[in-house]
Amino acid sequence: MSTQGIPGRGEWAAVLCGLGAALPATVVSNADLTARLDTTDEWIRSRTGIAQRRIAGTDLTTEDLAVRAATKALTGPVSVPVQAVVLATTTPDRCCPATAPAVAARLGLTGALAFDLAAGCTGFLYALATAAGLIAASTAEAVLVIGADRLAALPDPGDRTTVPVFGDGAGAVVLQRGTAAERGALGPVAVGSDGTQADLIRAPRPGALRMEGAEVFRHAADRMSAAARNAAAAAGWALSDVDRLAPHQANARIAGFVARQLGIPDSRQLHNIEHVGNTGAASLPVLLAQAAADGRLTPGHRVLLTAFGAGLTWGATTLTWPDLPPSHQPTEGSVADDR
């Protein structure tokens, strides 16, 4: 067989070819929270942009959510074997062993490289960078990347400032080996961290999360904006080239500030925080799945993703949205399915 035109080992790109998301069925509205917390619907909406969130019951684990999202992602047009599973999560089901091998086994991927990755709400972008590296190194032809978190269990149940922010969920993508010229090819991933600021977001145990709100806002806005600029520049894009900005859904005011910093109009910003809250590492893939399902995200759109999380961590990347068959794009019903 002729090898003319076939990329060398260092020229492979990671190409998105599958997408899925899963959210618990239980909806907790702001009205539900105001019945037990010293807060109001107006206070929550004005400071976070959130009206409701999905909460997992005690019978729904991080592993369960990850499997449901991954099952949907694996129905995409994956043409090579999935040989690795990277699970980004802040809320594994146990300290040891990792959750990813159990997820892989339930998906019929026993034998695949599988591990957890903890980088807070930036975990999905860290996982994308890791998956792209596995593909570039020829360690895996295709990688399943999952972001899954049950963040609603982290705040003090009586803390009116943090309880309304967090929800539970999972999202997943499949990246397979391809070329940079293909739609869906992942651009350079700009990531970073600053452990000197680790105490700004901390949860020593479930029920004890604390955030320094004003400082988190400042760092998140600055770091997400800078990472987005770096990722766009590394991809050779001007910010005016961006058709859709997909910011981590931590806070509507932060997302809006980042969009203004980048000069990207609101009409090009993807958001779903009003209905799901902050779902941590699941935030970006759930957002992409819902936007693809409802037509806000269509083939050919140039997408800029950016996130910020505990650590402190941050990151951003680019891709041109691929032409996933409609049958492989999650519907609203399947995204919310808890069965």
Side-chain angles (χ1 to χ4, degrees):
M1 180 181 73
S2 171
T3 60
Q4 185 175 2
I6 296 178
R9 174 172 171 168
E11 298 172 346
W12 294 118
V15 179
L16 190 150
C17 59
L19 173 67
L23 296 170
T26 300
V27 176
V28 176
S29 68
N30 288 351
D32 295 326
L33 296 182
T34 60
R36 64 180 182 85
L37 295 173
D38 180 19
T39 189
T40 66
D41 175 69
E42 190 279 332
W43 191 93
I44 297 170
R45 287 177 184 263
S46 65
R47 286 160 176 78
T48 67
I50 300 169
Q52 63 182 43
R53 67 287 297 148
R54 301 296 187 92
I55 305 298
T58 56
D59 59 341
L60 188 64
T61 65
T62 296
E63 178 185 318
D64 293 332
L65 287 167
V67 168
R68 294 176 188 191
T71 299
K72 298 183 179 80
L74 289 167
T75 64
V78 185
S79 60
V80 293
V82 172
Q83 298 169 318
V85 177
V86 183
L87 172 60
T89 184
T90 301
T91 59
D93 295 321
R94 53 196 168 265
C95 294
C96 182
T99 304
V103 171
R106 286 177 61 180
L107 295 169
L109 299 174
T110 301
L113 180 160
F115 59 92
D116 293 359
L117 183 157
C121 297
T122 318
F124 181 70
L125 286 173
Y126 269 56
L128 289 183
T130 301
L134 293 172
I135 290 171
S138 295
T139 301
E141 291 187 277
V143 182
L144 172 63
V145 175
I146 310 167
D149 270 318
R150 297 177 73 251
L151 294 185
L154 294 187
D156 178 336
D159 184 358
R160 74 185 190 113
T161 62
T162 56
V163 167
V165 173
F166 297 103
D168 303 328
V173 299
V174 178
L175 300 177
Q176 69 178 10
R177 188 171 66 184
T179 66
E182 294 180 60
R183 282 185 178 178
L186 197 67
V189 186
V191 289
S193 71
D194 181 2
T196 67
Q197 304 295 322
D199 282 347
L200 294 183
I201 306 172
R202 59 197 183 278
R205 60 188 180 278
L209 181 140
R210 292 291 183 270
M211 290 196 301
E212 306 301 328
E215 281 297 289
V216 169
F217 188 109
R218 181 176 68 83
H219 280 280
D222 290 346
R223 299 297 193 178
M224 288 171 68
S225 299
R229 289 192 184 95
N230 291 339
W237 291 8
L239 290 172
S240 58
D241 293 332
V242 175
D243 297 306
R244 295 291 183 267
L245 173 66
H248 165 52
Q249 300 294 285
N251 180 298
R253 292 194 299 164
I254 293 175
F257 187 87
V258 169
R260 290 191 295 274
Q261 288 274 82
L262 299 176
I264 296 175
D266 290 344
S267 61
R268 296 185 183 182
Q269 183 187 154
L270 299 176
H271 56 85
N272 66 351
I273 192 170
E274 179 180 5
H275 303 293
V276 301
N278 180 353
T279 56
S283 173
L284 285 177
V286 169
L287 176 62
L288 294 177
Q290 292 186 331
D294 64 24
R296 288 176 291 160
L297 189 55
T298 59
H301 273 154
R302 290 160 294 190
V303 186
L304 175 60
L305 297 86
T306 186
F308 174 87
L312 300 176
T313 61
W314 57 84
T317 193
T318 59
L319 78 158
T320 300
W321 196 251
D323 188 9
L324 297 177
S327 61
H328 295 138
Q329 292 182 355
T331 64
E332 181 62 25
S334 68
V335 167
D337 190 8
D338 187 30
R339 293 182 296 277

